[in-house]
Amino acid sequence: MRLSMNGLLSPERGNSPSDMENKHLIFDAHLDLSMNAIEWNRDLTREIEEIRRREAGIDDKPDRGRNTVSLPAMRKGCVGICVATQIARYVKPGNTLPGWHSPQQAWAMTQAQLAWYRSMEELGEMRQIVDSKDLDEHLQKWEDPQGFLPIGYILSLEGADSIVNLDYLEKAYGQGLRALGPAHYGPGTYAQGTDATGGIGQKGRELLREMERLNMILDATHLCDVSFWEALENFNGAVWASHSNCRALVPHNRQFSDEQIKELINRNAVIGIPLDAWMMVPGWIRGKSTPESMVVTLEQMIDNMDHICQLSGNTLHVGIGTDLDGGFGKEQCPADLETIADLQKVPGLLKRRGYSEEDIQNIMHGNWIRFLRRVW
Ligand SMILES: [Zn+2]
């Protein structure tokens, strides 16, 4: 395993053929693990096959019986560290998106999700990472992975509607929340998200000020264009984009324009590349297109990575943020990915495009880890 601490931080550690057979440590900056546990009723301590069998004949969600993420699969793929979300939308009357009818209910859902993470910590399945000390200890364990290791997670909130008022943000920080995306899909309390329009308003500015005081990371993913620019203008703290692709490759407001990517690079951000098929090829039709018919493979992930590297002139601003359990499964992810463990194919694909071993280390985990060390 090429996972030594030196390897994470120092350049080029050699490239022998036997080395290339080994696995890379993978940092996945976007998984909705607890949403799957609590709302999809998935026991993520089980193997993928077992979870799929258990869902046979159920059709309440589009991805039933086709999930690609579980804790054993993450271990198998050396996905030893991730950013894991809490997510709960508040919807006002007339908003047709799924969501809770009050911010208090949305908060309660995030607390159920947190309770699941805590129970995984008690089992030794997961470990929460809140500071540099936690991060270093955890990486040391994965440097030479032996036996059963916990999956490390940094807690993030996708959409801030559940933050009833700013006191709740401080409470959430106390629970280990270290990153926050103010919006998800549609209109939000603190910012406008994907497919919505408009700015962040007074509430958004106050949220950002409090996040800055708490040293919380701003996740720019899902902000609509107006909210994106306003948020960056009103926030002086650390910014990343946990799961966003390039608009130059797939035109839609969910993806970032080159101008936005350049601004994120200026702010020293890292952008995580997601594997939701509709964001990987133009013209995907939900429920109709298939990964095979649209030829969606991990190659488009590399295309997105490469596009960002070309804009930055280096490999320091892109990483992985799969979103592989974000409400879709095999029916809407790359055809050459059966489970999250197949992320180990990515280093080989990058190498074929001429990326050096050092570049590959940056992209697989190094950039996210350096980002967190800098912020903490
Ligand atoms: Zn998302």
Side-chain angles (χ1 to χ4, degrees), residues 3 82 142 196 216 237 264 272 275 277 302 313 329 354 370:
L3 299 173
C82 67
W142 277 85
M216 216 177 254
L264 289 169
L275 290 174
I302 313 294
R370 265 192 302 272

Side-chain angles (χ1 to χ4, degrees), residues 298-352:
L298 290 167
E299 291 291 352
Q300 284 101 3
M301 178 186 231
I302 313 294
D303 293 341
N304 278 276
M305 288 172 165
D306 192 61
H307 188 79
I308 292 168
C309 290
Q310 299 304 332
L311 288 176
S312 60
N314 57 45
T315 57
L316 298 172
H317 296 282
V318 70
I320 290 173
T322 65
D323 200 15
L324 272 172
D325 56 0
F328 63 95
K330 270 293 290 169
E331 78 290 352
Q332 201 172 299
C333 76
D336 50 351
L337 184 140
E338 184 64 31
T339 78
I340 192 168
D342 288 324
L343 286 177
Q344 287 295 340
K345 293 177 179 174
V346 173
L349 298 175
L350 284 166
K351 190 167 186 253
R352 275 218 328 247

